[in-house]
Amino acid sequence: MLFRSDGLVGRAAALARSTPDRDAAERTRAFMALADRAQPEAAESLLEEALISALSIASYRHIGTDSGHKSELWRELRRRLSSLPAARRYSLSVRMLTSLSQHDRGQSLDGLGELLPLIGKLGGQAALAEAEAAASDVARWWP
């Protein structure tokens, strides 16, 4: 099948990677679409790139006139990530939390909010409570 060609998916992924951060939502959608057409092992990697890209969406204004577009994008991404094996979701979550620490405070908190459903699925209520406590600490330390 033409769409499953590793070379074609690889070239399309390289093109998506070259998309500037101001178009992060479109880049995220491209990685998700490519994941649908890639072999399973490549699909996981492309979903990881989609998640990293989604964390680069600086604000709602970059993806349309309302926040519904961003919420829809995150919902779809979380749905796809939830289908990955738990060990893979865990390693992705650790990488994403590390990545969030390199963003500004507002973007980090937005990203954390979007990742909470995945954190909850991995670690249950204890993990959610810990994430909430960490966010509260940050808000208190750096008002």
Side-chain angles (χ1 to χ4, degrees):
M1 177 180 206
L2 180 63
F3 290 115
R4 290 208 173 244
S5 165
D6 290 336
L8 182 60
V9 171
R11 289 192 305 271
L15 183 60
R17 285 183 202 103
S18 70
T19 305
D21 278 349
R22 71 175 178 272
D23 296 323
E26 288 77 18
R27 183 178 58 223
T28 301
R29 286 185 190 97
F31 283 128
M32 289 193 308
L34 289 170
D36 289 342
R37 291 163 178 82
Q39 299 298 326
E41 32 320 314
E44 286 185 16
S45 179
L46 289 164
L47 284 176
E48 180 178 350
E49 290 195 68
L51 183 55
I52 292 167
S53 180
L55 293 173
S56 298
I57 300 171
S59 69
Y60 292 132
R61 71 177 176 280
H62 287 101
I63 59 169
T65 57
D66 67 88
S67 63
H69 290 100
K70 183 177 181 182
S71 296
E72 183 180 314
L73 180 66
W74 271 103
R75 248 189 324 275
E76 178 60 19
L77 185 54
R78 282 191 303 263
R79 183 189 67 75
R80 291 175 189 218
L81 291 169
S82 293
S83 69
L84 296 176
R88 184 73 173 132
R89 284 194 318 257
Y90 176 79
S91 67
L92 283 175
S93 295
V94 169
R95 288 196 62 213
M96 293 314 99
L97 292 172
T98 301
S99 174
L100 282 175
S101 71
Q102 298 168 16
H103 292 282
D104 66 40
R105 178 180 164 199
Q107 197 171 358
S108 293
L109 290 173
D110 283 347
L112 181 61
E114 296 295 352
L115 291 173
L116 282 177
L118 288 174
I119 293 169
K121 283 185 179 185
L122 286 169
Q125 287 297 333
L128 290 173
E130 190 65 32
E132 180 184 5
S136 294
D137 287 346
V138 169
R140 191 175 57 253
W141 296 334
W142 294 284

